[in-house]
Amino acid sequence: MGQQQLLLIMLTVILVGVAVFVGIGMFTANSVEQKRNEIINECTILASEAQLYYRKPKAYGGGGKSFIGWQLPQEFNQTEAGFFVNTEIQAEQVIITGTGNEVVTENDSVKVAMTVTADSISTEIIN
């Protein structure tokens, strides 16, 4: 009877250890996905600002059918989610790159590039 109880205790300890390990893995994956979604949401806000600039006539402070001259609003240089930069501005498109401010996997942060044109927005997940 003593060996059977010891075996059951060992089996229970192993199962609890595996459950804790799986739970930590799920929490980490969820954390990365949440941070990525925050960066994508803020990039989408910036993309709509860029499209607004593109559509607004030059007389009203816009680009007049061009992205040239558009700049990131100062409040988006550094936010709670991360920091954002214009990696490329051309007349017909602008590329906004957002990088998370927390290291989520080894030494990589979440990084997203969003390509904005006059009538579309596309997202590329880098990390």
Side-chain angles (χ1 to χ4, degrees):
M1 189 78 158
Q3 286 183 339
Q4 209 173 24
Q5 288 175 340
L6 187 59
L7 185 62
L8 286 175
I9 290 172
M10 291 299 290
L11 183 61
T12 303
V13 168
I14 291 171
L15 287 176
V16 168
V18 169
V20 167
F21 182 72
V22 169
I24 289 172
M26 290 175 61
F27 177 78
T28 302
N30 187 32
S31 175
V32 169
E33 189 65 27
Q34 182 178 0
K35 181 58 79 172
R36 186 173 291 123
N37 287 339
E38 286 180 44
I39 296 294
I40 289 172
N41 286 339
E42 291 191 4
C43 278
T44 304
I45 292 169
L46 290 170
S48 21
E49 291 287 327
Q51 286 178 333
L52 179 66
Y53 177 85
Y54 179 89
R55 290 186 178 105
K56 193 182 288 186
K58 286 186 178 186
Y60 294 114
K65 305 292 185 195
S66 174
F67 287 109
I68 294 176
W70 181 74
Q71 296 178 349
L72 285 172
Q74 288 293 330
E75 61 268 13
F76 281 97
N77 286 341
Q78 181 78 33
T79 67
E80 288 183 23
F83 60 93
F84 302 88
V85 293
N86 292 335
T87 53
E88 182 180 328
I89 297 179
Q90 299 174 354
E92 297 298 318
Q93 78 174 10
V94 63
I95 298 176
I96 302 165
T97 303
T99 305
N101 56 6
E102 295 177 14
V103 176
V104 289
T105 55
E106 296 175 10
N107 56 0
D108 289 335
S109 295
V110 170
K111 194 169 188 179
V112 175
M114 189 165 280
T115 304
V116 184
T117 62
D119 56 356
S120 69
I121 299 171
S122 63
T123 304
E124 176 188 357
I125 297 172
I126 299 169
N127 283 340

